[in-house]
Amino acid sequence: MFISTRKYTSITEKLFLASQRPYIGIRTYNHNFLSDATGVLLETKIQNYGNTPAKNIDVLTEVFVDEIKIEFDNLKVENQIIFPQSSHPISMIIKNKNMFLAIKNGQSLLKIHTKITYSGITDKKYGTEEICKYNHKSPSFVGEFGEWR
């Protein structure tokens, strides 16, 4: 009987911890082509889908065009806090007319790779990783890979 009680207590504890943790993920990937047709504004919104605040959030976003990494200065977000059901935007601009036209016309493949690490109320580390690519026919972003840890 003692072993059964211990087993059920362990299961109950795991269920509680799973329900009382933050779950940070990508809410949306948005894009707007600049009115002067010289670039594209990309915005990634991350959201806390969990029931508790997420803290120590670090976000690394990498943008690739035809598998070549595009360098940005402002794509690393560090030590943020996001409350339940709240979101945080991360914006970047690809300011290259030829690249812009190639992405818009489907001649170049645009991919966004986002890695997020964070902790919850127990200071346990969690992570999310997502990869999406731009579909010029829709025109929208399509998820290619996603994982919660």
Side-chain angles (χ1 to χ4, degrees), residues 17-95:
L17 291 176
S19 69
Q20 298 302 313
R21 64 161 273 199
Y23 286 92
I24 301 293
I26 305 299
R27 180 174 161 203
T28 56
Y29 290 103
N30 293 317
H31 70 287
N32 288 306
F33 294 112
L34 301 180
S35 59
D36 61 0
T38 61
V40 60
L41 169 67
L42 303 172
E43 182 180 73
T44 302
K45 280 192 182 174
I46 60 172
Q47 181 167 334
N48 182 355
Y49 293 95
N51 294 319
T52 60
K55 58 184 182 177
N56 303 320
I57 301 170
D58 294 334
V59 181
L60 176 62
T61 302
E62 296 175 313
V63 177
F64 298 89
V65 176
D66 294 331
E67 304 299 327
I68 298 169
K69 186 176 176 181
I70 307 300
E71 296 296 332
F72 293 95
D73 293 333
N74 62 339
L75 285 189
K76 192 161 181 153
V77 175
E78 295 178 319
N79 207 20
Q80 294 289 313
I81 295 174
I82 300 180
F83 292 97
Q85 308 311 313
S86 296
S87 61
H88 179 79
I90 303 165
S91 300
M92 62 216 93
I93 295 177
I94 296 176
K95 191 88 165 148

Side-chain angles (χ1 to χ4, degrees), residues 97-108:
K97 187 171 185 168
N98 292 332
M99 195 177 291
F100 155 78
L101 292 172
I103 292 167
K104 187 174 181 180
N105 297 327
Q107 297 163 333
S108 288

